[in-house]
Amino acid sequence: RIEREDDTDPWPSDIQAMMVRDYHSSFGQGRKSGFQAGFWVLKPSQTHYNKLIEIIREGNYTGGFGRDNGWGGLGYGGFVGAMAMQGLVAYYYDVFVPGTWVELNNCRHNSVSA
């Protein structure tokens, strides 16, 4: 049995990734929690890789600590690793390929204490 963060979320028909969120690092209304970079299970995909490289090269990152900062100006920023993997991966899977990944229970998988 796989412990998920929210067991009521439907399972994707084609799971591309499994990950946990780093809820301890994000705070504030409208801000998004980052991806916990210590644990990530994924299907290798040249398409995903190319899109991540495209996002990085575009460089659409706004510094700061508000709901309109971070990647795409959508609140994926203002925490440790936001400009790197922790913010980028959360932004990518939420915005560009929603419904293709499963959020695992962060108490069971790669637990992080703050």
Side-chain angles (χ1 to χ4, degrees):
R1 180 167 186 257
I2 298 173
E3 294 284 337
R4 296 177 59 198
E5 188 63 30
D6 184 351
D7 284 332
T8 64
D9 282 344
W11 284 92
S13 59
D14 181 23
I15 298 171
Q16 295 292 310
M18 293 184 173
M19 65 185 88
V20 296
R21 295 280 196 168
D22 190 355
Y23 291 106
H24 306 289
S25 294
S26 62
F27 55 89
Q29 188 176 19
R31 295 196 36 221
K32 307 293 192 283
S33 61
F35 152 72
Q36 195 355 281
F39 185 86
W40 185 20
V41 178
L42 70 147
K43 283 185 187 177
S45 165
Q46 190 67 46
T47 302
H48 291 311
Y49 174 80
N50 291 341
K51 185 62 180 176
L52 285 164
I53 295 300
E54 180 183 320
I55 292 167
I56 292 166
R57 288 183 176 151
E58 181 182 315
N60 186 7
Y61 185 91
T62 305
F65 296 91
R67 70 177 67 203
D68 58 352
N69 73 317
W71 289 102
L74 297 175
Y76 293 91
F79 49 84
V80 173
M83 289 183 75
M85 191 169 178
Q86 288 184 258
L88 176 64
V89 170
Y91 171 65
Y92 176 72
Y93 280 99
D94 284 352
V95 175
F96 292 92
V97 289
T100 64
W101 63 281
V102 173
E103 181 177 0
L104 300 175
N105 183 303
N106 69 357
C107 292
R108 300 266 187 218
H109 305 278
N110 198 48
S111 179
V112 176
S113 299

